[in-house]
Structure formats: C-alpha cells, structure tokens
Amino acid sequence: MIELIRKRRSIRSFTNQPLTEEQKALLAETLLRAPSSRNINPWEFVLVDDQALLAQLATAKQHGSEFLRGSALAVVICADETKSDVWVEDCSIAAILVQMTALSLGLGSCWAQIRKRQHDQQTTAEQFVQQQLGLPPQLRVAAIIGIGHPAEQRSPLAAAQLQQAKLHHNRYAISWNLIS
Ligand SMILES: Cc1cc2nc3c(=O)[nH]c(=O)nc-3n(C[C@H](O)[C@H](O)[C@H](O)COP(=O)(O)O)c2cc1C
C-alpha cells in the first residue's frame, strides 16, 4: 500500500481505451467494501460509462470537471442524507478507496468536487448532476471520480517535498520530523 500511496497523483488525461468488465467489477466491489459510520452504508454509486452522459457530467462545473469527458468511467458518489449525518465522510472514504484500487489496476483517476460547487449562477453542481442522473431528492452528491487509462505521467512527490511541519509530537507546538 505504501508503494501505491507514493505513486498516487491525480490523473486528468486519459486514452480512449475502455475498462474491462473485470476492472469495472473490482472498482464496484471496492465501493461496496468501504467502511461507513455505524455501518449504515448511506451511499449510492452511479457508474457512468455512456460517453454522452460523461460529456454532460464534464459540464457540472465551469472549472475542474472537464476531465470527466475523456474518462472511461465516472463514479458518481452519492448518499442519502436522511440516513446518516456523516454521509460526507462515508462518501469521501469510498472515493479515495476507489481511486486507490484504480491505481492498483494501472488506471488513473481524479476527484471532481460537486458538493458546495455551482454549475451556474442559478443551479448548483449537485442539482445539475441530480437532474442528469434522475436522482431522488434525498440523494446528495459528494463527488465524481473520473477513471481511465492514463494519458499523462505525473511524477511522485519526493520525500523532501512532503510538508513535515504538519507533523506534531504529542503537543501542537512540538514538531516531529519523522521522515528522513
Ligand atoms: C476534496 C477534493 C476535491 C477535489 N476537487 C477537484 C476538482 O473539482 N477538480 C480537479 O481537477 N481536481 C480536484 N481534486 C484533486 C486535487 O486538485 C489534487 O488532489 C491536488 O491538487 C493534489 O494533487 P495530486 O492528487 O496529484 O497529489 C480534488 C481533490 C480533493 C481531495
């Protein structure tokens, strides 16, 4: 896992090679194995591989969702907010897990933030995605993870680039340079 974590970077450019059914199944299995608070599993996942729909989702925001157009699969991470008050946390965990499984399969991925973002002046990005996918009103949309075969190489961060000042030892005032 640490080797995968060292390699992990957001990938926003993809080839047009589709995912195999096996890859899609492994990604789907990951989502359903995500831990959730009190095991409520408030999430719902819409897996989108329809190119026309991907092109629509790419316009969910004015900036930062364009890469979904070229992805092979977008995982729309939703949750029923009436089921859990910590649905955002539950969705975030499912999102990062599916990104790490994608990486383990040699795929690239990137997160597109939807919650708390605007589509345009009148419509939130969440409302836009809800309309596109026909989501019931209680289903909130946290994020969309775009996944595909990488068409860009991004260098891993060197250990020297890590922000060691963010590590503290027992008390905030005491820094801890653990990584050599
Ligand atoms: C909560 C969250 C929201 C993000 N939203 C977007 C987004 O809307 N569009 C995008 O292109 N990248 C998005 N990203 C990816 C970040 O920009 C990226 O993780 C960050 O710049 C660090 O780069 P790296 O992932 O390559 O290490 C998001 C990441 C997180 C964790």
Side-chain angles (χ1 to χ4, degrees):
M1 180 54 93
I2 188 65
E3 291 303 328
L4 279 179
I5 286 172
R6 284 179 177 146
K7 277 202 311 201
R8 189 213 57 78
R9 296 303 308 272
S10 296
I11 298 297
R12 300 180 178 84
S13 179
F14 307 102
T15 71
N16 56 14
Q17 187 180 347
L19 304 191
T20 64
E21 291 305 307
E22 187 189 4
Q23 287 170 326
K24 289 180 200 174
L26 291 170
L27 295 167
E29 179 182 346
T30 296
L31 293 165
L32 298 181
R33 288 189 186 278
S36 71
S37 172
R38 292 154 62 206
N39 205 21
I40 289 174
N41 302 348
W43 17 246
E44 302 278 342
F45 307 107
V46 183
L47 284 76
V48 177
D49 60 5
D50 177 272
Q51 289 299 317
L53 197 46
L54 287 169
Q56 282 301 111
L57 292 177
T59 68
K61 303 193 290 183
Q62 275 154 22
H63 305 287
S65 53
E66 311 87 346
F67 67 88
L68 294 171
R69 181 184 292 274
S71 65
L73 182 77
V75 181
V76 184
I77 306 211
C78 315
D80 185 335
E81 65 175 342
T82 68
K83 289 187 177 164
S84 175
D85 59 344
V86 290
W87 63 272
V88 175
E89 289 85 342
D90 292 340
C91 285
S92 300
I93 290 167
I96 190 63
L97 286 183
V98 82
Q99 289 197 267
M100 294 310 294
T101 294
L103 182 59
S104 79
L105 297 172
L107 303 171
S109 72
C110 189
W111 179 308
Q113 181 68 24
I114 298 299
R115 192 180 69 92
K116 290 187 174 285
R117 296 291 180 264
Q118 287 296 123
H119 171 67
D120 58 25
Q121 282 192 337
Q122 288 77 39
T123 313
T124 67
E126 268 200 85
Q127 289 167 335
F128 177 81
V129 173
Q130 283 162 340
Q131 286 159 13
Q132 293 297 322
L133 303 180
L135 300 178
Q138 73 277 16
L139 274 201
R140 301 291 306 275
V141 184
I144 305 177
I145 308 299
I147 301 172
H149 290 271
E152 62 174 331
Q153 296 288 332
R154 297 198 60 205
S155 306
L157 293 189
Q161 291 174 276
L162 301 179
Q163 296 175 288
Q164 291 228 44
K166 297 208 179 271
L167 300 175
H168 311 270
H169 192 191
N170 295 323
R171 299 280 184 279
Y172 179 76
I174 305 170
S175 59
W176 202 5
N177 292 335
L178 269 172
I179 305 165
S180 49

